[in-house]
Amino acid sequence: MNAGQIEDGVLLDRITSGDQDAMARFFERYSPMVYSVALRVLKDSGEAEDVVQEIFVRVWKNPAAFVSGKGSLGGWLVVVARNRAIDTLRRRRPSDPIELFSLPSSTNLASEAERSVLMQKIRVAMHELPVEQQKSVELAYFEGLSHSEIAQQTGDPLGTVKTRIRLALLSLRKVLTA
């Protein structure tokens, strides 16, 4: 069992005892994934938000609905989100045939949602960096330039370029570990 599963179990135990902070953390961790599945099925952001709310209210009222021995919490939430979204489709158009939403077996939706949240954090953090640091990091990591090439291209001293990149990476690390 990995550390993420242990954390999920602790969160669920705390939710069972009525801990609202644990529920907020749980929602923050899994709502992007649940929303993306619901949105893919429904193609309507309002209905997808309703599905997310319904699922998390259900978890708040009955956290024991998840049985840890039968799979991951993220996987369970994906299945619940898919089923709720399909139910919503059926209520919307009962006479229209429903194309079942199939999850590709090669994709781990929990990992993809985590990656998406992480990438969003990085984007926000990059925009908060000073312009010189942003430019240096972009040239180094997205254009593959060496520190010397960046100094030559920008006209800045090599030590300044190295310091900017170092400070930017420290700032990004703080955001990612917070």
Side-chain angles (χ1 to χ4, degrees):
M1 184 178 281
N2 69 34
Q5 290 173 327
I6 293 168
E7 248 178 60
D8 288 343
V10 170
L11 275 178
L12 283 175
D13 288 344
R14 288 175 55 195
I15 291 168
T16 300
S17 66
D19 185 338
Q20 292 180 357
D21 289 332
M23 187 63 199
R25 286 185 181 172
F26 181 76
F27 181 82
E28 188 177 297
R29 181 179 300 166
Y30 287 109
S31 63
M33 175 182 58
V34 171
Y35 176 77
S36 67
V37 170
L39 185 62
R40 259 179 99 177
V41 173
L42 296 167
K43 296 173 181 48
D44 179 279
S45 61
E47 287 182 327
E49 290 169 5
D50 290 344
V51 166
V52 170
Q53 181 178 355
E54 181 182 337
I55 289 169
F56 284 94
V57 166
R58 175 181 173 195
V59 169
W60 175 250
K61 288 180 177 179
N62 184 17
F66 170 68
V67 179
S68 62
K70 291 189 175 183
S72 73
L73 183 57
W76 177 74
L77 286 168
V78 165
V79 170
V80 171
R82 175 188 168 272
N83 291 344
R84 293 284 183 225
I86 289 173
D87 290 345
T88 301
L89 275 178
R90 288 183 177 141
R91 283 191 302 267
R92 186 190 323 163
R93 296 172 280 175
S95 61
D96 291 350
I98 295 181
E99 295 178 23
L100 289 180
F101 171 72
S102 62
L103 299 173
S105 61
S106 63
T107 302
N108 181 339
L109 288 178
S111 296
E112 288 298 314
E114 244 178 68
R115 183 179 175 279
S116 176
V117 168
L118 184 65
M119 292 304 296
Q120 182 60 30
K121 281 183 181 180
I122 292 171
R123 279 188 205 98
V124 169
M126 281 289 291
H127 287 293
E128 292 175 356
L129 292 174
V131 175
E132 300 83 17
Q133 288 180 13
Q134 283 182 31
K135 183 173 175 102
S136 296
V137 169
E138 288 171 358
L139 290 172
Y141 290 94
F142 301 122
E143 294 188 27
L145 299 181
S146 69
H147 293 163
S148 302
E149 293 169 329
I150 295 169
Q152 191 174 35
Q153 183 174 339
T154 61
D156 295 324
L158 179 59
T160 302
V161 169
K162 288 181 178 182
T163 300
R164 285 178 181 160
I165 292 173
R166 183 176 166 274
L167 291 173
L169 293 177
L170 288 173
S171 296
L172 291 173
R173 181 184 298 161
K174 281 182 188 176
V175 168
L176 295 177
T177 57

